[in-house]
C-alpha cells in the first residue's frame, strides 16, 4: 500500500505538460470470491494504480507505463510492473500505414512469487490498409522473448495473424481472423520417472503457501523436486538440478475466429463471435498445474489449449453517454499434455478438459478526460480435473484520468 | 426636406438595410446548416465498427457535445485500455477513406491477440484487467 501512495507524488512530478503528449492515471479496485480459481475458493481484494505516458516526435512515439497491484489478504502476490518502448508509424499514402514497435518491460512479484519475476522484450510490425472505405485489412507479427527468474519458463514466441473487416450500410459488421503462433521454451528440463518419485516428499512438505505448481514431462536427466502446497492439497514443480539440458521445446498453433455484429439504430449493437484453435505440432513441457492466478500461466496461455469458444454480446449507448455491455461466453478447451488429476494428486489418465460459462456486465461513463467503469463477471468452470471445478465472481470498478493531453494529440 | 420626410426616408433605409443584412445572415446560416447537415449525413451513412460491437464508431460522442469523437477536437481516446484501440483518432477524416492522420497509439496492443473475436480471458494479460478476465 505504501508503494501505491508513493506513486501519487511521482505522478504529480511527471504531470508536466511539456514532458508528455499524454499522461494518464488509472485506479482500479477489484474484488473476487475465488482468487485462485479453484474448487476451494479464497476471496481477496486487489487495488491497482497505474500511470501511462507517451510523447510524439513526428512519426516516432515513445511510451511507458508503470503500475502497482496490491492484494489485501494475499499481499505476497502483489506486484510492480513497468513497460516502455518506442514505435514508428510509416504512412504509405492515404489508405495504408506500416507500424513498428520495440518495447521492453519487467514484472516484479513479492517474495512468494519471485520465481515468476520476469523481463520481456517485444517487437511488433503491423500493416493496416483500407481496401475500401468500409473494408480494412490488418496484418500483424509479433516476436517476444521472456526471461524468468526461474529459467524453466523462459521462452521466445512468434505470432502472425491477419484480419479482414467489412462494414455494410445495413450496420452489419463482418470480421474474420487467421492466426498462427509458435512458442519455444528455451530451457525445459526433462525429469525421469525415478526423479519424480524421489521428489514426492516435496509434495508432502510444501515450502510455502501458494496456489499450485507445475510438473514437467520427459524421461531423462536426474533431478530433484520442489513443491508448493496448494489450495487443493497438491502441487509440485520438478526440475533438474544436475543435468539441465538445453533442449528446447516448441509448440505450434493456429486459430480461426470471426465476428458478426449488427447495429440496431444508433445506440444498440449485437455481436456474435466464435473462435477455434488447433495445435499443429509440439507440446507443453508441463504435465500438471495448479493455476497461478497472478502470473502469465504457461499452462493456460494462448499456446496451451485447443478447442472452441463462442460468445454473444449486447452493447447499448444510453442517455448521458453511458455505455452498457452484457456478454455471455462459452468455451470448451482441452489442454493437451496436461494430466487430469484427482484432488489427492493421482493421475486420472486423461488430459484436462474445461468447459466454461461466463457472464460479463460492464457499465462505463466517459467524460472528456475521465472514464469511470464498473464490471461484474460470473464464471462457472466445469473440468474433468476436480481441482478446476469451480465457480466465482469478480467485481471491479475504476477510473482512468487523462491528466494531460498535449497539442500534438 | 421636412423632418417628417427625413424620418420616413431614414426609417426606410434602416429597414431596407436590416432586411438585407438579415437576409444575408440567413443565407450564411442556411449554408452553414447545409454544410453541417451534409457532414452529419456523411457520418450517418458511413458505418465503421472496428471494435465489432455493432455500434458505429463514427457516431460515438463521449463528451456529449453533439460532435462525433472522430471529428471532435475536445475528445481524447481513453487510456484505460478498455476500448477504441483500433480507432485512428480524430484526425482520420471521419471515415472518408482519407486516413492521413494515422495514430501510433491505435496500433499499440495489436501484437498479441489470438482468437480476438472471443473475450475468453486467455489473451494478453494487461496490467489493467488481467486479474478480472480469466
Amino acid at each position: 500500500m505504501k508503494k501505491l501512495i508513493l506513486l501519487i507524488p511521482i505522478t504529480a512530478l511527471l504531470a508536466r505538460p511539456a514532458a508528455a503528449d499524454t499522461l494518464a492515471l488509472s485506479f482500479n479496485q477489484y474484488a473476487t470470491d475465488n482468487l485462485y480459481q479453484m474448487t476451494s475458493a479464497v476471496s481477496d481484494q486487489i487495488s491497482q494504480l497505474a500511470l501511462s505516458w507517451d510523447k510524439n516526435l513526428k512519426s516516432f512515439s515513445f511510451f511507458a507505463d508503470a503500475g502497482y497491484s496490491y492484494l489485501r489478504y494475499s499481499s505476497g502476490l502483489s506486484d510492480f510492473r513497468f513497460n516502455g518502448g518506442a514505435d514508428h508509424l510509416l504512412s504509405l499514402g492515404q489508405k495504408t500505414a506500416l507500424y513498428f514497435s520495440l518495447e521492453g518491460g519487467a514484472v516484479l512479484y513479492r517474495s512468494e512469487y519471485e520465481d515468476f519475476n520476469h523481463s520481456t522484450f517485444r517487437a511488433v510490425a503491423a500493416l493496416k490498409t483500407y481496401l475500401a472505405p468500409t473494408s480494412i485489412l490488418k496484418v500483424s507479427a509479433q516476436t517476444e522473448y521472456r526471461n524468468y527468474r526461474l529459467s524453466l519458463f523462459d521462452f521466445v514466441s512468434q505470432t502472425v495473424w491477419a484480419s479482414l473487416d467489412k462494414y455494410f450500410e445495413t450496420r452489419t459488421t463482418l470480421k474474420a481472423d487467421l492466426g498462427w503462433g509458435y512458442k519455444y521454451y528455451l530451457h525445459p528440463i526433462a525429469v525421469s520417472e525415478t526423479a519424480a518419485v524421489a521428489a514426492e516428499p516435496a509434495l508432502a512438505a510444501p515450502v510455502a503457501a501458494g496456489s499450485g505448481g507445475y510438473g514437467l514431462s520427459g524421461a531423462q536427466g536426474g533431478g530433484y523436486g520442489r513443491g508448493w502446497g496448494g489450495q487443493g492439497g497438491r502441487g509440485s514443480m520438478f526440475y533438474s538440478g544436475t543435468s539441465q539440458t538445453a533442449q528446447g521445446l516448441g509448440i505450434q498453433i493456429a486459430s480461426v475466429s470471426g465476428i458478426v455484429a449488427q447495429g440496431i439504430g444508433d445506440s444498440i449493437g449485437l455481436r456474435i463471435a466464435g473462435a477455434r484453435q488447433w495445435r499443429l505440432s509440439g507440446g507443453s513441457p508441463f504435465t500438471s498445474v495448479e493455476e497461478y492466478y497472478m502470473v502469465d500461466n504457461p499452462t493456460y496461455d494462448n499456446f496451451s489449449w485447443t478447442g472452441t469458444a463462442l460468445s454473444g454480446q449486447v452493447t447499448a449507448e444510453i442517455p448521458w453517454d453511458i455505455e452498457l455491455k452484457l456478454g455471455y461466453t462459452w468455451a470448451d478447451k482441452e489442454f493437451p499434455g496436461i494430466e487430469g488429476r484427482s484432488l489427492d494428486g493421482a493421475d486420472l489418465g486423461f488430459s484436462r478438459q474445461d468447459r466454461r460459462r461466463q457472464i460479463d456486465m460492464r457499465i462505463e461513463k466517459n467524460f472528456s478526460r475521465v472514464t469511470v467503469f464498473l464490471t461484474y463477471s460470473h464464471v462457472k468452470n466445469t473440468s474433468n480435473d476436480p481441482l478446476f471445478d469451480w465457480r466465482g465472481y469478480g467485481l471491479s470498478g475504476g477510473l482512468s484520468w487523462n491528466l494531460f493531453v498535449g497539442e500534438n494529440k | 426636406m421636412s423632418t417628417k420626410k427625413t424620418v420616413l426616408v431614414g426609417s426606410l433605409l434602416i429597414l431596407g438595410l436590416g432586411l438585407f443584412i438579415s437576409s444575408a445572415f440567413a443565407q450564411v446560416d442556411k449554408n452553414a446548416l447545409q454544410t453541417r447537415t451534409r457532414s452529419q449525413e456523411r457520418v450517418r451513412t458511413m458505418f465503421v465498427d472496428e471494435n465489432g460491437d455493432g455500434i458505429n464508431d463514427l457516431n460515438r460522442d463521449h463528451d456529449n457535445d453533439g460532435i462525433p469523437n472522430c471529428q471532435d477536437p475536445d475528445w481524447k481516446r481513453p487510456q484505460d485500455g478498455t476500448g477504441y484501440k483500433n480507432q485512428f483518432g480524430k484526425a482520420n477524416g471521419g471515415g472518408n477513406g482519407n486516413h492521413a492522420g494515422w495514430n501510433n497509439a491505435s496500433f499499440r496492443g495489436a501484437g498479441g491477440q489470438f482468437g480476438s473475436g472471443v473475450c475468453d480471458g486467455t489473451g494478453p494479460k494487461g496490467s489493467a484487467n488481467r486479474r478480472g478476465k480469466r
Side-chain angles (χ1 to χ4, degrees), chain A residues 41-60:
Chain A
V42 175
S43 60
D44 212 326
Q45 296 173 23
I46 303 169
S47 303
Q48 294 179 311
L49 187 65
L51 185 69
S52 63
W53 167 93
D54 78 18
K55 177 74 176 175
N56 286 343
L57 295 173
K58 296 184 178 177
S59 60
F60 281 94

Side-chain angles (χ1 to χ4, degrees), chain A residues 48 61 79 87 94 128 142 161 173 175 263 271 273 291 293-294 302 317 321 323 333 356 366 409, chain B residues 49-50 52 54 60 62 82 86 88 90 98-99 104 108 110-111 117 120 122 125 127 130-131 134:
Chain A
Q48 294 179 311
S61 178
D79 70 84
D87 52 22
Q94 299 291 306
K128 185 171 183 177
Q142 173 180 290
W161 64 95
T173 300
K175 297 168 80 79
R271 178 174 84 172
E291 287 199 34
Y293 182 66
M294 297 283 291
N302 289 324
E317 301 271 356
D321 194 40
E323 184 178 82
K333 296 181 178 178
R356 180 172 295 199
N366 286 277
K409 291 286 182 183
Chain B
D49 179 24
E50 289 200 52
R60 293 181 189 272
H62 278 146
T82 58
N86 297 323
F88 284 119
K90 65 182 183 183
N98 179 357
H99 305 282
N104 293 38
R108 286 180 202 146
D120 62 356
T122 60
K125 305 292 191 297
S127 60
R130 63 195 297 269
R131 290 172 189 78
R134 285 284 295 274

Side-chain angles (χ1 to χ4, degrees), chain A residues 185-217:
Chain A
Y185 284 97
L186 296 167
H187 311 112
I189 301 162
V191 180
S192 67
E193 290 296 323
T194 53
V197 171
E200 284 297 319
L203 293 171
V207 296
S211 61
Y214 297 87
L216 288 170
S217 63

Side-chain angles (χ1 to χ4, degrees), chain A residues 77-99:
Chain A
L77 309 182
S78 301
D79 70 84
F80 174 79
R81 58 190 61 228
F82 168 80
N83 188 63
D87 52 22
H88 175 59
L89 194 59
L90 182 62
S91 180
L92 305 175
Q94 299 291 306
K95 300 178 188 296
T96 304
L98 286 172
Y99 171 82

